[in-house]
Amino acid sequence: MDEVEWTPRHPKPENLRVGLISWAGSYLTYEPYKSTVTATAKGLGRRQTWEILVSNEHDTQAVVRLRSLQGLYLLCEADGSLCYGRPRASHHGCFLLRFHRNGKWTLQCIISGRYLESDGEDVFCHSRVLSAYHMWTPRPALHVHVILYSPFNQCFARADPTMCRVWVDAPVPCLEECGFLLHFQDGCYHLETSTHFFLSHVDRLVSQPSTQTAFHMQVRPGGLVAFSDGEGGILYAQGTSLLLGLGSNPHRGEEWFILQRCPTWVSLRSKSRKFLSIFYDVEVYAASEHLTPLSLFQFESDKESCTLQLRSTNGCYLAQRRHRIVMADGYPREPDTFFRMHWNCGRITLQSPNGRFLGIAPNSLLMANATTPGPNEEFGILLANRPFLVLRGRYGYVGTLSEHDLLQCNMDQPDCIHLLPCRQGIYHFQAQGGAFWSITSFGTFRPWGKFALNFCIELQGSNLLTVLAPNGFYMRSDRSGTLLADSEDITKECIWEF
């Protein structure tokens, strides 16, 4: 493979999705039962999420359509009212999107020339004269655990807790230090590292969020973002060391980052508790007693087909080759790189395209030999770049409220769940205050338990998982907002994005 690409050439649909916040602080919302659009919601949920479909883009503007997660479009009618449905003509539902220096967006109906605006509740297109009421703040609808890729430097941002700095020098985003939490508060963003420090305006990491850690964010469709302090300083990698800091004179494009969901990297252990590792560039052995970068694999899975690709840090995928040997020399979309995964109490078996199961040969080589899986074909799997989880379900993030003693699943801002591995696939969940998660007889959770309980994590997709709670039921989100563990089967409400 001549050139390894860790960022897709074309943006994924999730990178095109945003919430749009009006001048009044409420979100543009589609009402599916009334086929109308309002701006009353105070949080970003599924009905406040819009996919920005770009048909023509220049430096400061683009022609776009706004599509909901249900597949219907924001439409402006001749009288200036807005509805929600399917376009009836070529330009019906098209808006001229302009990017303003303060990070705001305006949307001007292509047909009428009127701007999208809100009075704090209703939404309409009446005026052709631009004003503050026409300004919308875009908020990426991406999961808050992200990585930042610099196309200019072709590297990822990496926090360095020992030096209290952030560098843009990681060629492969396999380390937990490459992950950041993107907090949105009062119209600004705070970047939190995996060790829970915050990037500040003085280029150092600090322990608490404040006005000195608040950044304005320019957003472009497709996941491009740039951060500024609102006073002329803009964030970019500086000097030969590529220190991420505020400056006023970036080269053209140097300030732009591609915002992506944090990828999932795992380690796999055999029955003998040896790590699967790459040797001699492409050969895969279960022979390493210590975790190294050559023992890390990116977990890329399709939830619908239950197939899995494992990508090594050399940029290649595990693939079944001649004589049933598995090598790390596969290419994207190559059929021999897809394995079916089967879970058993936190342990995983992998079935190759020829129907045989991956196991460890007597010489420690990874091979696809067994027709039926046994202990030799089971692998323990651990999250390698996730010291904590941030879980998002159908109704929002998992977190706590001061007025509730139970964990909630409809939060706009999440809590971190710190992971304490105790054996393969089994973790203790620790709340932010240091106490453990406890479970009640009703299947609800409290974040102040004294004793550690066992939670079994099973990966269901590239960034999707299920959690088997200590009571033997799957953890799920409930429409009431209370987090529950009462499901015998895996339903849509049991799938968590992380």
Side-chain angles (χ1 to χ4, degrees):
M1 186 174 290
D2 297 330
E3 184 179 349
V4 176
E5 291 186 354
W6 293 99
T7 299
R9 292 177 180 268
H10 303 290
K12 296 181 179 180
E14 65 201 30
N15 294 334
L16 298 168
R17 293 171 184 161
V18 299
L20 291 173
I21 308 171
S22 73
W23 61 272
S26 54
Y27 287 79
L28 185 68
T29 303
Y30 63 88
E31 307 290 351
Y33 302 111
K34 302 177 183 177
S35 297
T36 59
V37 180
T38 63
T40 56
K42 296 301 182 182
L44 177 57
R46 293 179 61 82
R47 292 191 295 115
Q48 292 77 41
T49 299
W50 300 89
E51 190 172 339
I52 308 298
L53 304 179
V54 181
S55 58
N56 194 359
E57 184 173 1
H58 299 285
D59 284 345
T60 60
Q61 62 186 37
V63 177
V64 301
R65 277 193 168 104
L66 274 66
R67 184 171 65 188
S68 74
L69 295 182
Q70 286 193 337
L72 299 178
Y73 295 81
L74 179 69
L75 304 174
C76 180
E77 304 295 26
D79 62 357
S81 64
L82 289 172
C83 66
Y84 168 69
R86 300 193 182 280
R88 297 187 298 273
S90 60
H91 292 296
H92 192 207
C94 285
F95 294 86
L96 180 63
L97 168 60
R98 286 193 177 93
F99 313 113
H100 296 268
R101 293 176 62 88
N102 60 359
K104 308 287 187 183
W105 286 4
T106 53
L107 290 150
Q108 186 178 21
C109 176
I110 290 288
I111 296 175
S112 68
R114 296 185 175 99
Y115 288 97
L116 181 72
E117 64 178 297
S118 168
D119 61 4
E121 293 184 1
D122 296 323
V123 185
F124 40 83
C125 289
H126 284 170
S127 175
R128 292 188 177 94
V129 181
L130 187 62
S131 74
Y133 296 105
H134 303 130
M135 297 289 176
W136 297 84
T137 301
R139 178 185 174 185
L142 202 63
H143 188 282
V144 298
H145 200 175
V146 299
I147 55 174
L148 294 168
Y149 176 74
S150 168
F152 187 90
N153 297 292
Q154 297 185 344
C155 281
F156 295 86
R158 173 186 63 88
D160 185 348
T162 59
M163 298 187 67
C164 291
R165 297 282 195 272
V166 175
W167 316 95
V168 187
D169 63 355
V172 182
C174 61
L175 303 174
E176 66 180 60
E177 291 84 2
C178 293
F180 295 86
L181 292 177
L182 188 65
H183 296 283
F184 180 75
Q185 186 177 5
D186 298 328
C188 291
Y189 292 85
H190 302 260
L191 279 170
E192 183 182 357
T193 71
S194 62
T195 52
H196 306 298
F197 285 82
F198 294 84
L199 182 63
S200 73
H201 294 178
V202 293
D203 309 340
R204 294 185 64 85
L205 298 177
V206 297
S207 59
Q208 296 294 328
S210 67
T211 56
Q212 286 297 298
T213 66
F215 291 91
H216 299 271
M217 189 164 73
Q218 296 268 356
V219 181
R220 297 288 185 272
L224 275 177
V225 298
F227 297 90
S228 67
D229 63 357
E231 298 178 356
I234 195 159
L235 209 57
Y236 60 97
Q238 302 180 39
T240 56
S241 62
L242 299 177
L243 171 67
L244 185 62
L246 286 171
S248 58
N249 192 28
H251 295 291
R252 183 173 174 83
E254 196 173 14
E255 72 274 22
W256 291 103
F257 292 86
I258 296 177
L259 191 70
Q260 292 178 282
R261 193 165 53 177
C262 186
T264 302
W265 288 80
V266 299
S267 63
L268 295 161
R269 265 180 149 170
S270 66
K271 182 181 68 171
S272 62
R273 299 189 62 78
K274 299 291 181 64
F275 288 103
L276 286 189
S277 302
I278 309 298
F279 289 85
Y280 315 115
D281 293 331
V282 294
E283 295 182 7
V284 188
Y285 289 87
S288 179
E289 293 185 354
H290 302 287
L291 188 64
T292 71
L294 295 176
S295 311
L296 302 180
F297 299 91
Q298 187 174 348
F299 190 99
E300 300 181 16
S301 173
D302 178 11
K303 182 174 72 73
E304 303 303 325
S305 64
C306 294
T307 56
L308 167 67
Q309 287 181 295
L310 291 170
R311 191 181 192 187
S312 67
T313 51
N314 68 6
C316 297
Y317 293 85
L318 298 193
Q320 183 191 325
R321 297 306 187 207
R322 295 179 61 185
H323 310 297
R324 301 174 185 168
I325 295 175
V326 177
M327 308 280 281
D329 62 355
Y331 289 79
R333 312 308 303 172
E334 184 182 354
D336 289 336
T337 65
F338 288 88
F339 301 89
R340 289 193 66 82
M341 56 181 178
H342 308 271
W343 286 97
N344 180 25
C345 298
R347 301 180 70 84
I348 193 171
T349 56
L350 300 174
Q351 190 174 16
S352 68
N354 71 357
R356 294 180 179 267
F357 291 86
L358 271 59
I360 307 303
N363 64 352
S364 299
L365 191 65
L366 183 64
M367 300 187 71
N369 268 337
T371 55
T372 56
N376 192 52
E377 286 70 44
E378 282 192 342
F379 296 93
I381 186 167
L382 280 177
L383 297 169
N385 67 329
R386 302 296 181 106
F388 57 82
L389 289 179
V390 171
L391 297 181
R392 181 165 71 172
R394 289 182 64 81
Y395 309 111
Y397 288 100
V398 172
T400 53
L401 278 175
S402 56
E403 60 267 26
H404 287 276
D405 64 346
L406 300 177
L407 282 160
Q408 304 294 301
C409 61
N410 61 351
M411 305 293 292
D412 186 61
Q413 297 291 336
D415 286 356
C416 288
I417 307 164
H418 292 274
L419 297 176
L420 301 179
C422 52
R423 60 181 186 272
Q424 306 296 334
I426 307 297
Y427 295 84
H428 301 320
F429 282 9
Q430 191 174 34
Q432 292 185 171
F436 294 99
W437 276 31
S438 65
I439 187 168
T440 72
S441 58
F442 301 103
T444 55
F445 296 92
R446 290 191 174 100
W448 54 64
K450 294 182 179 180
F451 305 104
L453 302 178
N454 292 341
F455 292 82
C456 178
I457 290 176
E458 295 182 350
L459 302 179
Q460 304 293 338
S462 296
N463 284 83
L464 301 173
L465 58 76
T466 53
V467 178
L468 193 62
N471 64 356
F473 292 97
Y474 284 100
M475 197 168 79
R476 70 173 180 89
S477 54
D478 188 73
R479 194 178 292 273
S480 69
T482 301
L483 183 66
L484 292 172
D486 63 358
S487 181
E488 295 183 1
D489 302 312
I490 297 176
T491 66
K492 289 182 179 180
E493 291 183 330
C494 299
I495 301 293
W496 298 95
E497 187 182 359
F498 72 102

